Amino acid sequence: FWLMIKILIKKLSKKVSLPKYETSESSGMDISANIDSKINIKPGDTAIIPSGIALSIPKGFEAQIRPRSGLAAKQKISVLNTPGTIDADYRGEIKVILINHSRELFTVENGQRIAQMVICPIVQVQLEEVDVLSETKRGKDGFGSTGK
């Protein structure tokens, strides 16, 4: 099963490269930095990096902004609010909140691939308040309760 939907994209600068799938079976498209000058992120700090693009996402979908595994594994750079959500009714510039988990200064350069974007279907629910929930084997047991 392979679903293909059309999403309208607007370049906010002529120098922006559009996100693209790196392989035919990739789930995420790489997003690149669109900046006029380098941005240094000190260890433990964050920076909001503009992408130079805006989207028109169809109702019933969202864009999730996720870390690139190579940046995370090799340089300890991640997306702070993982996954970042771009709602269907947002039309502004997509910006990525990067965090530097390393002990080294990290420099973001224009055109550098900084995150990946995955388009996902969403479900909205109707909440119904009740006094009692159904019982389960796990019950109220939380963090780590199911073992290793």
Side-chain angles (χ1 to χ4, degrees), residues 8-146:
L8 304 177
I9 187 166
K10 179 180 179 181
K11 285 182 164 186
L12 303 176
S13 164
K14 293 187 187 306
K15 64 183 179 178
V16 172
S17 56
L18 294 179
K20 65 176 184 169
Y21 296 103
E22 293 298 323
T23 69
S24 64
E25 295 183 23
S26 294
S27 61
M29 294 176 268
D30 287 338
I31 292 181
S32 299
N34 181 48
I35 52 180
D36 293 326
S37 57
K38 295 178 183 181
I39 296 175
N40 292 318
I41 308 173
K42 296 177 184 174
D45 279 357
T46 63
I48 298 175
I49 313 297
S51 70
I53 59 169
L55 300 175
S56 178
I57 302 169
K59 184 177 181 178
F61 291 88
E62 68 167 338
Q64 293 183 358
I65 307 301
R66 302 178 184 183
R68 291 192 64 235
S69 57
L71 278 180
K74 296 174 184 173
Q75 295 173 293
K76 296 180 176 45
I77 303 300
S78 190
V79 174
L80 182 62
N81 60 328
T82 300
T85 296
I86 309 299
D87 294 310
D89 59 352
Y90 177 69
R91 294 297 182 268
E93 181 176 16
I94 293 176
K95 297 180 181 179
V96 178
I97 308 168
L98 290 183
I99 184 166
N100 183 352
H101 289 295
S102 79
R103 294 186 177 124
E104 306 290 327
L105 183 72
F106 180 75
T107 302
V108 180
E109 298 184 15
N110 187 55
Q112 181 177 2
R113 295 181 299 161
I114 56 169
Q116 60 179 325
M117 177 174 65
V118 176
I119 306 299
C120 299
I122 59 162
V123 175
Q124 286 189 335
V125 299
Q126 180 179 354
L127 298 175
E128 180 180 340
E129 187 175 355
V130 296
D131 294 325
V132 178
L133 297 175
S134 62
E135 296 289 325
T136 66
K137 183 177 177 182
R138 182 176 181 179
K140 295 180 183 178
D141 294 341
F143 300 112
S145 66
T146 59

